[in-house]
């Protein structure tokens, strides 16, 4: 498991919807044979509060060495862009 802790500073504390995109170092094939280059989802977070996003490797096919990337966006604006490196 790896990830990042962050806070989105704002004038008012409120719930906002963020887009999280995890990009894999190479295409990932799931147990059904479907290939993915990234995982993307929307999640509600509160401003002015610590929060996190993490990726948990649960299956052998997820063990992809190389550069992983996470991007956190709000209304198509990139708020966070971080690389992680998984080594064998």
């Amino acid at each position: 498991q790896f990830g990042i802790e962050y806070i989105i500073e704002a004038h008012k504390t409120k719930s906002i919807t963020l887009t999280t995109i995890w990009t894999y170092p190479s295409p990932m094939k799931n147990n059904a044979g479907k290939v993915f280059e990234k995982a993307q989802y929307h999640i509600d977070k509160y401003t002015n509060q610590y929060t996190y996003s993490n990726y948990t490797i649960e299956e052998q096919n997820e063990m992809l060495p190389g550069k992983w990337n996470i991007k956190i966006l709000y209304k198509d604006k990139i708020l966070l862009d971080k690389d992680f490196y998984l080594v064998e």
Side-chain angles (χ1 to χ4, degrees):
Q1 177 175 318
F2 54 94
I4 192 162
E5 183 178 272
Y6 60 95
I7 185 170
I8 298 170
E9 296 178 345
H11 293 292
K12 293 173 66 176
T13 300
K14 64 179 183 175
S15 178
I16 60 174
T17 301
L18 301 174
T19 302
T20 302
I21 305 169
W22 284 96
T23 303
Y24 311 129
S26 59
M28 181 186 301
K29 186 184 290 187
N30 69 10
N31 294 334
K34 188 171 181 183
V35 177
F36 300 90
E37 293 184 11
K38 63 185 175 182
Q40 180 172 328
Y41 55 91
H42 301 286
I43 190 164
D44 292 332
K45 300 282 188 175
Y46 280 94
T47 59
N48 301 316
Q49 294 182 4
Y50 281 99
T51 188
Y52 66 93
S53 183
N54 67 296
Y55 193 95
T56 302
I57 295 172
E58 298 174 331
E59 302 286 337
Q60 187 62 36
N61 63 311
E62 295 176 287
M63 291 292 297
L64 299 173
K67 181 175 84 171
W68 290 63
N69 176 269
I70 183 175
K71 286 184 177 63
I72 307 283
L73 296 89
Y74 177 65
K75 295 185 177 179
D76 297 324
K77 179 182 177 187
I78 297 174
L79 302 179
L80 183 143
D81 186 348
K82 178 73 176 166
D83 294 332
F84 297 87
Y85 293 88
L86 183 63
V87 294
E88 292 185 60

